[in-house]
Amino acid sequence: MDNKIWVFTTTGEWQQAEDPLAPHRHLDDWEAEVKAAGYSSWTKFPEQDTTPLALEIYRSEKAGSELLFIVNVSTSSFYETVYAESVPALMELLARWTPVVQGAALGALAGQLDDKGVITSVARSLNAK
């Protein structure tokens, strides 16, 4: 099994490193692996059941950790994991991914509104003016 992960560095480069969760894969549970590796949930947005795409971020509890953050890009059935080595690296990743997550959320909302006839009703109201 490949134990390499992708890390976004403070200098804006992608590098490969050893997976800090690899020694804990025997736990066969994501949350248990993350906790055993010394990470805890930091934030998640938006809530996964409200949009087709979300970001989950975990922060290392270890002082001086070379891999400060885990970032999961999640769908309802799959996730992809990358790491950020610092707060500036995390902020750059968020600047890149947040518009994608927001677009997915707006698309899902528009679909829900369309299913309920709200968009058609608003369009008719605007055309009547």
Side-chain angles (χ1 to χ4, degrees):
M1 183 175 184
D2 187 16
N3 290 331
K4 296 287 186 182
I5 48 94
W6 285 102
V7 179
F8 193 70
T9 68
T10 304
T11 59
E13 298 175 341
W14 287 100
Q15 297 178 355
Q16 284 200 288
E18 292 296 318
D19 185 354
L21 302 184
H24 311 288
R25 292 284 183 232
H26 67 281
L27 298 173
D28 203 28
D29 175 85
W30 169 256
E31 294 296 331
E33 292 172 18
V34 168
K35 185 175 182 177
Y39 289 86
S40 60
S41 181
W42 195 60
T43 191
K44 181 189 299 188
F45 62 93
E47 288 300 318
Q48 185 61 49
D49 59 349
T50 62
T51 185
L53 190 64
L55 296 176
E56 298 174 280
I57 301 170
Y58 299 83
R59 189 182 194 288
S60 176
E61 297 171 348
K62 297 177 184 175
S65 175
E66 291 181 21
L67 303 173
L68 191 57
F69 295 98
I70 298 173
V71 179
N72 277 345
V73 180
S74 304
T75 68
S76 61
S77 60
F78 188 77
Y79 65 90
E80 194 65 46
T81 303
V82 296
Y83 290 75
E85 79 173 357
S86 64
V87 172
L90 175 66
M91 299 311 292
E92 180 63 28
L93 281 176
L94 291 177
R96 294 177 183 200
W97 273 103
T98 299
V100 176
V101 172
Q102 289 173 332
L106 289 173
L109 178 60
Q112 292 168 4
L113 293 174
D114 190 41
D115 289 345
K116 295 177 181 176
V118 174
I119 292 176
T120 303
S121 177
V122 169
R124 282 187 194 135
S125 295
L126 291 173
N127 286 334
K129 289 184 179 184

